């Protein structure tokens, strides 16, 4: 292999090594395929919104003195809450599968609601009510993960899309050429910012998914060692 294939394989190995360092070699083999798919899909979807015509071609209505696209023919996928929620729920299915497979239902409940095995004696029983309360909070937190994952990604992409549209229509004069030049030049710096934001959001989404898997499976591997 040479050229592009070498670069592609090096990138895959780098991502795999990072996932392996977080979740361990055993779990990495089971979850890396979905983590990588999420990262690549979210990255491409975020950057897709920067292509000319995406979100700007479609049904137009007039609000005040401005013309606004209300029904675009094409939109970036991650600027729709349905898509980001679907990605988050798909990940949660894998999380449930890996958690049950690696820790078991009983192991997960013990890890969530009971003190660690290193605490013995009276202190262990004294801490049970506290850990039970913390466990309830943890369960609520787990249930809200799809919401937080999807809203974070959707909010950032939608805000970036809105910002670019607003910057493109910031200057409104009687001269169409001036309007056109300003609609191209003013949003240009924000395009570079959105390239960075798109990559960061894809990385954050994939990293959080990896960490969530590690939190529910790492203790099982530690006990095995």
């Amino acid at each position: 292999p040479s050229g592009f294939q070498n670069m592609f394989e090096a990138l895959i190995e780098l991502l795999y090594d990072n996932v392996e360092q977080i979740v361990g070699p055993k779990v990495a083999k089971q979850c890396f395929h979905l983590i990588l798919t999420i990262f690549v899909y979210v990255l491409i979807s975020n950057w897709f919104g920067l292509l000319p015509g995406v979100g700007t071609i479609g049904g137009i209505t007039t609000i005040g003195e401005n013309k606004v696209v209300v029904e675009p023919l094409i939109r970036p996928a991650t600027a729709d809450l349905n898509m980001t929620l679907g990605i988050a729920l798909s990940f949660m299915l894998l999380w449930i599968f890996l958690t049950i497979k690696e820790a078991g239902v009983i192991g997960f409940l013990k890890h969530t609601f009971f003190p660690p095995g290193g605490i013995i004696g009276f202190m262990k029983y004294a801490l049970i009510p506290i850990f039970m309360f913390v466990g309830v909070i943890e369960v609520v937190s787990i249930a809200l993960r799809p919401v937080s994952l999807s809203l974070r990604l959707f909010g950032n992409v939608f805000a970036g899309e809105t910002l670019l549209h607003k910057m493109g229509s910031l200057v409104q004069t009687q001269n169409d050429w001036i309007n056109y030049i300003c609609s191209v030049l003013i949003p240009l710096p924000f395009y570079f910012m959105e390239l960075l934001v798109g990559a960061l959001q894809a990385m954050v989404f994939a990293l959080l998914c990896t960490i969530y898997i590690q939190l529910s499976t790492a203790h099982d591997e530690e006990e095995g060692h």
Side-chain angles (χ1 to χ4, degrees), residues 37-46 78 87 153 201-202 205:
T37 301
I38 288 175
F39 173 75
V40 173
Y41 182 79
V42 171
L43 179 65
I44 293 176
S45 297
N46 292 347
T78 46
I87 299 172
L153 178 58
Q201 288 304 314
F205 198 102

Side-chain angles (χ1 to χ4, degrees), residues 28-155:
K29 296 177 181 178
Q30 304 175 64
C31 71
F32 178 71
H33 54 286
L34 182 62
I35 298 297
L36 178 63
T37 301
I38 288 175
F39 173 75
V40 173
Y41 182 79
V42 171
L43 179 65
I44 293 176
S45 297
N46 292 347
W47 285 351
F48 183 79
L50 302 179
L51 295 176
V54 177
T56 58
I57 298 178
I60 298 178
T61 187
T62 301
I63 300 179
E65 298 180 354
N66 298 324
K67 293 182 178 180
V68 181
V69 178
V70 293
E71 295 180 358
L73 295 177
I74 305 175
R75 290 191 63 201
T78 46
D80 191 314
L81 185 58
N82 294 299
M83 177 59 72
T84 58
L85 185 59
I87 299 172
L89 290 175
S90 298
F91 159 72
M92 289 305 297
L93 292 177
L94 176 68
W95 179 85
I96 293 171
F97 171 77
L98 287 177
T99 300
I100 294 176
K101 182 179 179 182
E102 296 298 319
V105 176
I106 301 301
F108 172 74
L109 293 176
K110 288 175 61 179
H111 175 71
T112 305
F113 292 100
F114 293 93
I119 302 177
I120 58 175
F122 171 77
M123 184 60 67
K124 178 178 181 179
Y125 297 100
L127 290 176
I128 285 180
I130 297 177
F131 275 86
M132 292 286 287
F133 177 72
V134 172
V136 173
I137 297 177
E138 178 67 16
V139 170
V140 174
S141 172
I142 292 172
L144 291 177
R145 283 175 185 174
V147 178
S148 62
L149 283 171
S150 58
L151 285 179
R152 182 186 296 105
L153 178 58
F154 163 74

